[in-house]
Amino acid sequence: MFSVFLVAVAFALLGPSAVNAHGFVHQYEIDGKTYPAWDPFNDPYADPVPVRIERKIPDDGPVLDVTSPDIACNKGGETGVNAYATVAAGDKITFNWTNWPADHMGPVSTYMASCNGDCSKFDVSGAKWFKIDAAGYSNGKWAATQLIDNGYKWTSTVPSQLKAGQYLVRHEIVALHSVGQPQYYPGCAQVEVTGTGTQIPSGSELVSLPGLYNNVQWPDIWSDNIKSFTAPGPAIAFSDSSSDSDSTTSSSIHASSPIASAAASRTASSTQVSKSAATTAHTSASHAMSAAPSATRASSASSSSNPASTGKCSSKRRRGMVKRHVSHLAKRHH
């Protein structure tokens, strides 16, 4: 009983800013439809557990080891899910984050990888990724800050030339606030691309994960006199120009207001289900949205013991270590 009291006191002392330390994608807007993402703090405990187009993530903590398989789609993201969203080649995908700390500055990127068939059966360890969108530092601002300014939203465009089929879409923020220890926040959703496109990325446009961030020299965002920083990786796939990936024409950042975006999006009539599990995985939007998280929520500590995917935020302004101890106590006494 006394331990429970201590947990309550600790939460009160931490305040809301510490509880809402990190964010994650909680919603996808695709072709005018809204798809709830996997909510690691609620979905695992729902009955029945909802089917999402996004592969599962364990929590809102980072991946720290760029040589770990977790760098591709987060811890647990190697396993497929029995659902996908349909998107036409040339259309946009908007990633709605719950929130993002202002000091967690860094690049934002979106990659895709062919599932070579059914994404629900595709192991991400064999994926070859191509970049469709990325931004680093330009015009005095990091891409993560632009995402915050845009109401915690980032929009990327599926290449119009892309051959139809099922693909993984990997969206990520890299936080550079902890000097010498970048934090990676990836997540992957499953989509089926439609249209008349016939092209696939060239070999020079493909990269492996792990592999993308090998030997990358990240800047010290607190002391370096940064003029510009190009997001790591290959050129944007199917790009007809030689401009770098941080150009404003390729970063696909849209400054629509949260209110306008909410009014424009409409609830998906259903979450499409991959053929291999059509009889068991179909989820109506009304059911899916009932478990969808709000744009602001309390996040809990990283629950995994694997150091490759759960790290302590070492920002000067963070209180993540206290947060994790408190969350650990809360879990023990839940």
Side-chain angles (χ1 to χ4, degrees):
M1 189 69 182
F2 181 70
S3 297
V4 174
F5 173 76
L6 288 178
V7 171
V9 171
F11 269 116
L13 291 174
L14 283 171
S17 61
V19 174
N20 294 319
H22 300 133
F24 55 93
V25 174
H26 76 98
Q27 197 175 73
Y28 294 84
E29 295 176 25
I30 305 173
D31 192 24
K33 298 177 181 178
T34 301
Y35 297 87
W38 177 256
D39 180 350
F41 303 114
N42 292 292
D43 286 354
Y45 314 106
D47 185 16
V49 174
V51 178
R52 307 299 193 196
I53 66 168
E54 184 182 59
R55 294 189 170 194
K56 296 178 180 179
I57 60 173
D59 46 50
D60 63 352
V63 176
L64 298 179
D65 183 0
V66 296
T67 67
S68 166
D70 297 345
I71 197 66
C73 291
N74 217 317
K75 182 176 175 59
E78 68 278 1
T79 304
V81 293
N82 291 321
Y84 60 84
T86 298
V87 58
D91 280 358
K92 302 179 186 301
I93 300 175
T94 296
F95 309 89
N96 296 339
W97 288 73
T98 56
N99 60 286
W100 193 251
D103 67 333
H104 283 40
M105 295 176 285
V108 179
S109 64
T110 306
Y111 282 75
M112 294 182 69
S114 173
C115 292
N116 301 317
D118 187 347
C119 275
S120 69
K121 300 177 181 178
F122 183 66
D123 188 329
V124 74
S125 63
K128 295 296 182 182
W129 300 91
F130 55 96
K131 183 191 292 181
I132 67 168
D133 177 24
Y137 183 88
S138 61
N139 300 319
K141 187 176 292 187
W142 282 100
T145 304
Q146 298 178 50
L147 181 148
I148 294 171
D149 293 346
N150 193 43
Y152 305 111
K153 291 188 176 187
W154 188 274
T155 299
S156 302
T157 301
V158 176
S160 60
Q161 309 95 320
L162 188 61
K163 183 179 179 180
Q166 292 195 13
Y167 292 82
L168 288 176
V169 179
R170 177 186 184 270
H171 181 61
E172 176 189 56
I173 299 176
V174 181
L176 303 178
H177 57 290
S178 181
V179 179
Q181 181 58 83
Q183 299 181 358
Y184 305 85
Y185 295 83
C188 294
Q190 298 179 176
V191 301
E192 182 169 75
V193 175
T194 62
T196 58
T198 59
Q199 296 186 34
I200 60 175
S202 65
S204 64
E205 294 172 333
L206 298 174
V207 68
S208 297
L209 284 161
L212 170 61
Y213 294 118
N214 290 358
N215 303 315
V216 171
Q217 297 296 315
W218 296 104
D220 180 348
I221 64 173
W222 304 117
S223 62
D224 288 355
N225 184 20
I226 303 172
K227 300 297 183 182
S228 66
F229 181 82
T230 300
I236 291 178
F238 311 114
S239 175
D240 294 327
S241 68
S242 59
S243 60
D244 65 53
S245 61
D246 287 298
S247 65
T248 56
T249 57
S250 63
S251 63
S252 297
I253 300 169
H254 299 269
S256 59
S257 70
I259 296 176
S261 299
S265 65
R266 61 180 182 272
T267 304
S269 60
S270 64
T271 299
Q272 287 185 277
V273 181
S274 57
K275 296 177 181 178
S276 62
T279 59
T280 58
H282 187 77
T283 307
S284 67
S286 58
H287 169 72
M289 290 303 292
S290 66
S294 61
T296 56
R297 75 189 69 197
S299 58
S300 69
S302 177
S303 59
S304 169
S305 60
N306 186 348
S309 60
T310 56
K312 296 176 181 177
C313 177
S314 52
S315 166
K316 294 179 180 178
R317 291 185 289 277
R318 66 96 168 86
R319 287 171 284 181
M321 184 178 296
V322 178
K323 171 189 165 188
R324 282 177 168 79
H325 285 299
V326 170
S327 182
H328 179 65
L329 285 172
K331 289 178 181 178
R332 291 179 56 192
H333 296 281
H334 188 272

